Amino acid sequence: MGGSAQNPGTTGPSGNANGDTLSATAGGVKYYPPSSSRPASTGALKPMTSWTPPACWYAPTYSPAELQAVKEPVWAAESTGYEWDAEQRKEYLNEDDHSKDFNKDKTGKGYWWGPYVNKSYPPGWDSCTRDYFWVDTGAAPPPDIENVITPEILAGLAYNEIRVPSTKVTLAPAGPTKVNLPTWAWLDSAQFKPVSVTASVPVLGMQATTVAEPQSLRIEPGTADAQVYPASGVCTFVDGRIGEPYATGKAGQTPPCGVKYLRSSGDGTYSLRATITWKIHWTGTGVNAPQALPDGEFGAEQAVVVQEIQAVNR
């Protein structure tokens, strides 16, 4: 899953999309707020392009003693073959003169870096094939290695952790919707505010904060026999809210956001889908100007009963 091409017998540190850290290793990513604080009614954003969150990356992983504890049991098992084990011993230990000894002489002065894998498995999770390599504290990783952890990668991981409120809209007048009568739709403005997640690698002093801001609501009535307001079906946020609450006396007015059904739903219902588009940007270590990420969306369906006006008992 996260192992290297040179080390098929072991697995690199793997990400945990549902937890607060990515493994109990040196370069684990921490998220704030943590996933445990998410309300149950929230959901994950779906990018509106082919963009996917980072699949794998390299970051500090083990101290010299920790890497030794990982490697030596693999060699002792002799399950990966003599030649491969010999190359590994030469790389990390150099048994001839013990000149390397997992770099124990540099303990506290750096880390062995290795691959981390995002368990949500977007395409490319298997592209980090480089085995563990040493990086001194404050030094840059080797320039030939791609996918080294950066604020931009952290921003993508933070994007993957953002959870936004349910998109159930309030419809009025109250009760079943009536044929040919405009139905007003709006969202609770208290819920729909910018949402942010910060991802960091404390050992590197590196972080990125990704922010999602609600932009618009798209209404799909669930039937072609309907008219939406506005005609595009897209209601924009104005002064922090979408739509306008219905009030007595507005039944004959055109709502700024809503729908008018032209045919009864009969004995069933129409599935109205409400989808919010969120604008995404990030800032992070060394990056003060907001950087764009692909817009995301989150939607939900709700059943709507539509009746003929003359069928309503008075």
Side-chain angles (χ1 to χ4, degrees):
M1 184 170 63
S4 67
Q6 299 89 352
N7 187 356
T10 63
T11 302
S14 61
N16 182 354
N18 298 313
D20 301 335
T21 63
L22 287 160
S23 302
T25 49
V29 176
K30 293 184 178 292
Y31 296 102
Y32 182 82
S35 59
S36 58
S37 67
R38 297 172 185 159
S41 60
T42 59
L45 289 169
K46 178 183 178 181
M48 296 177 68
T49 68
S50 59
W51 179 91
T52 59
C56 71
W57 60 95
Y58 296 98
T61 307
Y62 296 126
S63 69
E66 288 169 341
L67 184 61
Q68 181 180 22
V70 168
K71 290 290 187 181
E72 289 192 335
V74 177
W75 303 339
E78 298 181 350
S79 60
T80 50
Y82 172 80
E83 290 186 5
W84 182 84
D85 289 350
E87 285 297 319
Q88 287 276 296
R89 288 188 174 95
K90 182 178 180 182
E91 176 71 21
Y92 297 105
L93 184 59
N94 197 349
E95 291 181 319
D96 293 337
D97 58 11
H98 296 281
S99 59
K100 292 186 178 178
D101 195 20
F102 295 96
N103 284 5
K104 287 181 181 176
D105 60 323
K106 293 187 175 183
T107 297
K109 300 178 182 178
Y111 287 98
W112 289 101
W113 287 43
Y116 288 73
V117 176
N118 188 342
K119 279 188 175 177
S120 60
Y121 298 135
W125 65 267
D126 56 352
S127 62
C128 292
T129 58
R130 178 74 172 256
D131 210 348
Y132 300 104
F133 53 92
W134 180 264
V135 179
D136 289 329
T137 298
D144 63 323
I145 299 179
E146 297 181 355
N147 296 346
V148 166
I149 191 70
T150 62
E152 184 173 7
I153 287 177
L154 287 174
L157 293 172
Y159 186 126
N160 200 39
E161 293 292 310
I162 287 177
R163 298 295 180 268
V164 295
S166 167
T167 55
K168 183 175 182 179
V169 295
T170 301
L171 300 175
T177 296
K178 310 304 188 296
V179 170
N180 291 321
L181 183 66
T183 298
W184 295 53
W186 69 93
L187 293 168
D188 182 355
S189 61
Q191 292 186 42
F192 290 90
K193 297 180 179 180
V195 178
S196 67
V197 170
T198 297
S200 66
V201 178
V203 74
L204 294 177
M206 182 187 296
Q207 62 84 29
T209 297
T210 300
V211 180
E213 298 184 83
Q215 293 293 299
S216 61
L217 166 69
R218 184 174 73 254
I219 293 179
E220 298 168 273
T223 173
D225 294 315
Q227 178 181 343
V228 291
Y229 305 99
S232 64
V234 177
C235 310
T236 57
F237 271 76
V238 178
D239 296 330
R241 75 177 185 188
I242 277 190
E244 182 180 321
Y246 175 80
T248 302
K250 292 184 176 180
Q253 299 180 22
T254 299
C257 183
V259 60
K260 179 170 69 175
Y261 285 96
L262 308 178
R263 188 184 297 273
S264 166
S265 59
D267 294 331
T269 60
Y270 292 126
S271 294
L272 181 147
R273 183 169 184 82
T275 303
I276 292 197
T277 296
W278 298 75
K279 199 78 173 176
I280 317 295
H281 69 266
W282 69 274
T283 56
T285 303
V287 183
N288 297 321
Q291 305 294 306
L293 282 170
D295 291 352
E297 61 180 12
F298 180 65
E301 293 184 351
Q302 59 196 85
V304 178
V305 176
V306 181
Q307 298 177 341
E308 296 284 355
I309 293 179
Q310 62 268 28
V312 177
N313 294 323
R314 298 186 183 276

